[in-house]
Amino acid sequence: MSNRPLAVTDATVWDGLAEESRADGGVLVGDDGRIVAVGGSTEILERAREIGADVVEARGGVVVPGLVNGHVHLSLALPGPMQDAIHGADSAQLALFMAGNARETLHAGVTTVRLVGEARFADMALKKAIEVGAVPGPRIRTAGHALCCTGGHGHDADGQEADGADGFRRATREQLRAGADLIKVCISGGIAGEHESIDTPQLTDDEMAAVLSTAHDWGRKVTAHAGPAPVIERAVALGLDAVEHGYELTPELCALMAERGVWYTPTITVSRCEEFFLANGVPRWMIDRALGAGPRHWESLQHAIAAGVPISMGTDMPPHAAYDGTTATVREIEFMVDAGMTPLEAMRASTSAGAAWMGEEGAYGALVPGAAGDLIVLDADPLADISALRTLHGVVQAGRVVRDDRGTLRPGAAA
């Protein structure tokens, strides 16, 4: 799918990788939706004229890569009305519900998502629809169903139940058959399971090994919903690639994760978002469990930062959900800075690191030649103050303007 080339000039530009932003810069995106050049405004303007690109001026605004949210459920089904709505929806209704969330996610500046558990393989259909331009939404990398033991975490939401090494091997292959880009497995309890606790071990070593070996044979990474350190240590020893949540990490475990290159997606918002839970009718037992996990969860993130564990940003909450005067995505990134990351580290974790997690460096999450022309426009530089993300007012996906609050991204708007 092609469109007219687009040049954004008169901007401060951060490319998702560099240690600082560049003033008086610009970005040129070709008709294939990929970046042709990043450089000074004058250089970009000259090259834009050569290829007949539309030119817009950011008017001194800040341009950074589109955000990559690494822990998303577009059919989120928390206990209560949210779960009832998803369970009561037929396949068509589910797909439309997810498409609506995908559109809102894109408009929130998230141009790529990693889905880590969806129902009925609607995520596969939505991914294809977005790729061909039938519906608006972020680039999708998806795990299909999350894998869990009988009665395990997620069994009543997006999980596929299995038992024994052969059962988990088959369940993994079923996700791969459907087109999974990665595999997600629930190896312990969590916040949303009524009949479990966060530290409940849920898979045997044989079961975990079956998932890992099968996925790795197919060239797919495996990430684990996990809470307690002992369970995670067993999985890391078996070759786990990444940890989601990690509610109870220790300094020793984080040192091991860093040594072995095991990624961490903290989803720190989920243990401090009472307002969101109340607004969506989540039962009190889950709210109390989530908030009760908060202090230890925060320590886990700090341990990971101190140890140098590779971190990718993910919310678990809907990326676009209203939260503390902004979106869940922006608030997650702010929390990461509050916990000890520098704004630069948090921004990398929210852009280029998301592509690196998938082994797709340079394909998206960075403003470099050949990468997808995904970018957002802000009023201020988030490398100076991470809360500048709250000033987002423009979103470009593959060179197409999909959000333009001020009308400044229309060709000729600056004339």
Side-chain angles (χ1 to χ4, degrees):
M1 185 171 57
S2 63
N3 49 280
R4 286 184 56 80
L6 176 71
V8 181
T9 64
D10 187 27
T12 294
V13 178
W14 179 66
D15 66 6
L17 299 165
E19 294 190 0
E20 58 186 22
S21 303
R22 172 176 181 161
D24 191 26
V27 180
L28 176 61
V29 183
D31 59 8
D32 62 353
R34 299 204 164 271
I35 293 174
V36 173
V38 180
S41 274
T42 300
E43 172 196 352
I44 295 301
L45 185 57
E46 289 176 354
R47 297 196 63 177
R49 288 168 178 163
E50 291 173 0
I51 64 173
D54 292 332
V55 178
V56 299
E57 294 182 3
R59 300 181 184 179
V62 178
V63 170
V64 304
L67 302 175
V68 180
N69 192 319
H71 190 116
V72 175
H73 303 276
L74 291 175
S75 60
L76 184 65
L78 296 177
M82 295 178 76
Q83 190 173 88
D84 294 342
I86 294 299
H87 287 181
D90 60 27
S91 294
Q93 291 169 326
L94 176 64
L96 289 170
F97 174 81
M98 291 174 65
N101 279 338
R103 178 181 180 277
E104 293 301 313
T105 293
L106 178 61
H107 284 205
V110 176
T111 54
T112 301
V113 294
R114 180 161 56 92
L115 303 183
V116 286
E118 301 292 353
R120 289 173 257 169
F121 295 119
D123 49 328
M124 307 298 181
L126 179 59
K127 176 183 177 181
K128 292 178 181 177
I130 291 171
E131 287 176 346
V132 301
V135 296
R139 177 180 301 95
I140 286 177
R141 298 291 182 263
T142 185
H145 293 267
L147 307 184
C148 64
C149 66
T150 295
H153 185 81
H155 78 278
D156 54 353
D158 49 47
Q160 178 171 334
E161 293 174 298
D163 291 296
D166 287 344
F168 274 95
R169 190 173 291 110
R170 179 178 179 84
T172 302
R173 288 173 176 161
E174 288 175 353
Q175 310 316 305
L176 296 170
R177 179 180 63 190
D181 303 297
L182 63 140
I183 297 296
K184 194 257 188 96
V185 60
C186 301
I187 65 174
S188 80
I191 286 173
E194 185 173 8
H195 304 299
E196 63 188 38
S197 63
I198 287 174
D199 61 357
T200 304
Q202 294 192 347
L203 265 69
T204 66
D205 285 4
D206 286 348
E207 289 170 331
M208 288 191 285
V211 174
L212 289 162
S213 62
T214 303
H216 289 167
D217 283 347
W218 284 66
R220 305 298 197 277
K221 290 184 177 180
V222 178
T223 193
H225 162 100
V231 173
I232 297 170
E233 288 170 358
R234 288 167 44 210
V236 169
L238 292 167
L240 183 68
D241 299 298
V243 174
E244 310 293 314
H245 312 304
Y247 297 116
E248 299 174 358
L249 303 182
T250 63
E252 295 77 15
L253 173 57
C254 288
L256 179 64
M257 290 170 63
E259 176 187 340
R260 299 199 176 188
V262 178
W263 286 76
Y264 179 42
T265 304
T267 68
I268 200 69
T269 57
V270 298
S271 59
R272 47 203 13 89
C273 60
E274 183 175 17
E275 177 185 350
F276 172 77
F277 289 148
L278 290 172
N280 287 280
V282 171
R284 191 70 233 180
W285 64 260
M286 180 179 164
I287 296 176
D288 291 343
R289 184 183 297 175
L291 300 182
R296 187 67 182 82
H297 192 192
W298 189 262
E299 289 179 0
S300 295
L301 174 54
Q302 291 183 316
H303 292 327
I305 294 168
V309 175
I311 293 175
S312 67
M313 182 273 293
T315 56
D316 204 2
M317 286 177 65
H320 57 282
Y323 180 36
D324 280 359
T326 183
T327 64
T329 298
V330 171
R331 195 70 185 97
E332 177 78 20
I333 302 169
E334 291 176 336
F335 277 138
M336 291 163 77
V337 172
D338 291 342
M341 297 181 80
T342 67
L344 174 63
E345 290 169 338
M347 286 300 297
R348 285 175 174 165
S350 306
T351 54
S352 54
W357 194 104
M358 289 297 305
E360 296 179 316
E361 298 95 329
Y364 53 89
L367 304 181
V368 296
D374 302 339
L375 56 90
I376 59 177
V377 186
L378 315 169
D379 283 337
D381 189 348
L383 301 191
D385 181 352
I386 200 65
S387 291
L389 287 168
R390 292 176 177 247
T391 68
L392 186 154
H393 59 85
V395 180
V396 175
Q397 180 189 43
R400 293 173 180 263
V401 177
V402 296
R403 174 178 169 183
D404 183 16
D405 295 356
R406 302 174 186 172
T408 57
L409 297 180
R410 296 192 312 270

